Structures are given as C-alpha cells and as structure tokens.
C-alpha cells in the first residue's frame, strides 16, 4: 500500500486511474487502520483521476464513500473532468450526488456548465445541466462571461436558443 511507482502513485490510485473497480472496492471496504487512512488521504485524488478517465463504475464506488470529497479541485473538479470528456452518464452520476457543487470555477476559469455549453453535441450535455436547479447558469467565468454571454459572443446559436427556451438566461423578465 505504501509502495509507489515512478510517478508516486500507489496501487489504489493506479487502480482508479485504470478503472479497475474491483480493486478500488477492495481498498475502500478494507477496515484495517492503515488502509482506512490511505483511502482517506488519497480517495479524493482517486475520484479526480477516475473522472479524468470517465471511469463510471469507479466514480460510483468512490462517491459512496463519505471520506471522499467529490469537489476536490486540482486544476479541475471531477464534474468538470467528466464534462470535458463528454461522458453524460458520469455527469448525471455526479450531479445526482447532492454533495457535488456544480458551480465551482476551475483553474481554467470556468465551471462545468461553461464546458458543457462548448461541446458540439446538439446541446445534450447542456440539457443535463439546465435540468438541475443547483446549476447557476449565470455564474460568470474568470473573464466575467456567463454561459449566455459566452455562447452569444462565439456565435453558438443552438446554445443561446436552448438557454432562452429554458428560461435560464439571467435576462430580466420582459
């Protein structure tokens, strides 16, 4: 458990990165003190790596553990990673967890919905975020752009149409 590879990853982190959910579960369910401490120390990073690889079953396993911080932000959050990787099922899984804050701004200066609005998927990913009342569509990016402002400035007609149709534009009522 304490041995690491040349990059400093232990077996728990390597299993999460590679998507080996059975191995991740072995560590998560182990009750020996040194394993419990290791999972508590590295669990949030394991979730982040699982999200980077869109490893649905590992994400699901780790979200079930109260020691894991689903908002761990090291460059990006797990939600932002799965959004950028266009993994709809992973986005839905994370958004279903009330502990997940969908409004965190990452080091790129944007939240998950900003990335969702930039995806060329006919708005499917954006719809997942628009359906969630916890998502602040008016949250400005680091440049001060809301999703609507960014979509309008980039000429993303379908995104603007979806925001307007959804009524979550941040524009004052007429």
């Amino acid at each position: 458990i304490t041995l690491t590879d040349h990059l400093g990853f232990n077996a728990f982190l390597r299993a999460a990165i590679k998507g080996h959910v059975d191995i991740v579960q072995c560590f998560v369910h182990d009750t020996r003190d040194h394993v419990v401490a290791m999972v508590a120390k590295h669990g949030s990073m394991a979730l982040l790596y699982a999200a980077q690889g869109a490893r649905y079953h590992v994400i699901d396993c780790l979200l079930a553990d109260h020691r894991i911080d689903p908002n761990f932000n090291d460059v990006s959050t797990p939600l932002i990673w799965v959004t950028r990787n266009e993994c709809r099922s992973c986005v839905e899984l994370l958004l279903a967890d009330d502990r997940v804050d969908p409004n965190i701004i990452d080091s790129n200066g944007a939240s998950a919905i900003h990335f969702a609005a930039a995806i060329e998927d006919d708005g499917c990913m954006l719809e997942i975020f628009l359906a969630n009342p916890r998502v602040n569509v008016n949250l400005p990016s680091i440049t001060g752009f809301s999703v609507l402002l960014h979509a309008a400035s980039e000429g993303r007609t379908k995104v603007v149409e979806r925001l307007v149709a959804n009524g979550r534009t941040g524009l004052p009522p007429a």
Side-chain angles (χ1 to χ4, degrees):
I1 292 175
T2 57
L3 295 176
T4 60
D5 65 11
H6 64 288
L7 297 174
F9 296 120
N10 62 24
F12 175 59
L13 290 173
R14 272 284 162 210
I17 290 167
K18 296 292 188 173
H20 301 304
V21 68
D22 293 339
I23 296 171
V24 170
Q25 285 174 336
C26 281
F27 288 113
V28 168
H29 297 304
D30 195 311
T31 58
R32 292 174 290 170
D33 289 345
H34 67 287
V35 179
V36 168
M38 185 273 304
V39 170
K41 179 178 179 181
H42 297 288
S44 298
M45 184 60 84
L47 177 61
L48 192 67
Y49 287 133
Q52 287 175 357
R55 308 290 190 185
Y56 180 93
H57 296 292
V58 174
I59 294 168
D60 190 32
C61 170
L62 293 170
L63 280 177
D65 191 305
H66 70 278
R67 298 170 289 182
I68 310 298
D69 177 6
N71 298 305
F72 183 72
N73 191 347
D74 181 32
V75 178
S76 288
T77 65
L79 180 60
I80 291 171
W81 274 114
V82 297
T83 303
R84 292 174 68 187
N85 288 328
E86 302 181 34
C87 182
R88 288 191 286 273
S89 60
C90 293
V91 168
E92 290 168 341
L93 176 64
L94 283 160
L95 283 175
D97 188 318
D98 289 335
R99 298 174 303 151
V100 173
D101 180 353
N103 302 308
I104 294 174
I105 302 289
D106 74 357
S107 65
N108 296 304
S111 69
I113 193 169
H114 288 95
F115 287 105
I119 295 171
E120 298 284 348
D121 72 343
D122 291 328
C124 295
M125 188 68 79
L126 181 60
E127 290 296 333
I128 297 169
F129 285 92
L130 291 176
N132 190 306
R134 294 183 296 132
V135 175
N136 180 358
V137 299
N138 302 313
L139 185 69
S141 67
I142 199 167
T143 58
F145 281 36
S146 69
V147 174
L148 177 64
L149 184 58
H150 190 264
S153 69
E154 295 291 319
R156 303 207 25 124
T157 305
K158 288 182 180 181
V159 172
V160 172
E161 288 172 346
R162 278 195 160 68
L163 289 166
V164 170
N166 189 276
R168 294 183 66 188
T169 61
L171 299 172

